[in-house]
Amino acid sequence: NAGVTQTPKFQVLKTGQSMTLQCAQDMNHEYMYWYRQDPGMGLRLIHYSVGAGITDQGEVPNGYNVSRSTTEDFPLRLLSAAPSQTSVYFCASRETSGREFFGPGTRLTVL
Amino acid sequence: AQSVSQHNHHVILSEAASLELGCNYSYGGTVNLFWYVQYPGQHLQLLLKYFSGDPLVKGIKGFEAEFIKSKFSFNLRKPSVQWSDTAEYFCAGYSGYSTLTFGKGTMLLVSP
């Protein structure tokens, strides 16, 4: 199993640009999550999904959209990037036992 | 609201010193608790987890944590730290079908 994969690893955007961060898992987990990690803030939940076709907002959803058309994929879209979205983004999936598996992260810089 | 708080933002220790990182949670009912470690430039790795049963949980790399329900605590311990333990440590938890909530992290620096 590849586990949770994320692409790209690094990205630089200009303010106002849009982009999609990709996340995929091959463990057939129903639950998937997007977090952002900022210094001194820990990880904060952006959006999550409890299964294909079902998504919900987390703690910091503004400026981000998600969709879950398949169990495997959970892309995160930035509609109009802002410098405040400069962060490290982690995707995760949760197995039925409750343990979460994290992807390697995407480091995003918005100029 | 559910929350997880970590007592220290930064901890500096010498090699061979003992480590205890504090974590408190605010959930009611059945709680699932985790400690994750993030080495510089890497993603999160699970150190240990508590779901039920023995409140003293042993994890990887010599770490352990004790769940004390009466104190709402889940402190991480290691008897003797090494330079390679330099990392950021995150406590996290959830209750029922809720989402995982993270503490703000504790940066541990171990000097050789």
Side-chain angles (χ1 to χ4, degrees):
Chain A
N1 285 352
V4 180
T5 58
Q6 291 182 237
T7 55
K9 285 189 166 53
F10 301 93
Q11 183 70 50
V12 179
L13 294 177
K14 294 181 180 178
T15 297
Q17 287 184 313
S18 63
M19 80 158 293
T20 299
L21 308 186
Q22 301 293 343
C23 174
Q25 52 95 4
D26 61 358
M27 298 172 282
N28 204 33
H29 293 165
E30 293 293 333
Y31 287 62
M32 293 188 74
Y33 306 85
W34 273 106
Y35 298 91
R36 58 176 290 173
Q37 183 182 20
D38 302 290
M41 302 292 288
L43 275 76
R44 292 179 293 169
L45 183 65
I46 305 171
H47 286 285
Y48 67 101
S49 169
V50 299
I54 307 170
T55 63
D56 206 347
Q57 296 180 349
E59 181 185 353
V60 288
N62 292 342
Y64 307 94
N65 272 359
V66 291
S67 60
R68 185 92 181 274
S69 56
T70 66
T71 299
E72 293 78 20
D73 299 301
F74 190 43
L76 177 73
R77 277 181 287 277
L78 280 71
L79 308 171
S80 177
S84 60
Q85 293 178 305
T86 293
S87 187
V88 181
Y89 292 85
F90 289 100
C91 179
S93 68
R94 184 188 291 185
E95 64 181 7
T96 52
S97 73
R99 177 182 170 179
E100 289 197 9
F101 294 79
F102 286 82
T106 296
R107 186 174 294 274
L108 175 67
T109 301
V110 182
L111 303 175
Chain B
Q2 299 167 341
S3 68
V4 173
S5 60
Q6 293 182 236
H7 304 167
N8 308 97
H9 293 304
H10 294 90
V11 172
I12 301 174
L13 295 173
S14 300
E15 272 194 318
S18 64
L19 169 72
E20 181 161 3
L21 300 182
C23 173
N24 286 94
Y25 63 93
S26 66
Y27 305 91
T30 303
V31 62
N32 302 303
L33 296 163
F34 307 80
W35 275 98
Y36 286 90
V37 61
Q38 186 177 33
Y39 298 103
Q42 296 188 26
H43 63 286
L44 290 164
Q45 298 176 38
L46 181 67
L47 274 178
L48 49 81
K49 62 184 187 291
Y50 171 80
F51 287 170
S52 64
D54 189 344
L56 186 60
V57 180
K58 293 194 184 298
I60 61 172
K61 307 187 181 190
F63 287 92
E64 65 178 31
E66 185 175 11
F67 172 65
I68 304 179
K69 189 173 182 180
S70 60
K71 296 184 178 180
F72 296 89
S73 70
F74 189 58
N75 293 354
L76 181 71
R77 299 194 294 249
K78 186 171 184 179
S80 176
V81 295
Q82 301 171 322
W83 176 80
S84 57
D85 292 324
T86 293
E88 191 161 17
Y89 293 81
F90 293 94
C91 183
Y94 73 92
S95 177
Y97 293 99
S98 70
T99 56
L100 192 62
T101 300
F102 283 84
K104 295 188 178 194
T106 298
M107 182 68 71
L108 172 66
L109 176 62
V110 180
S111 58

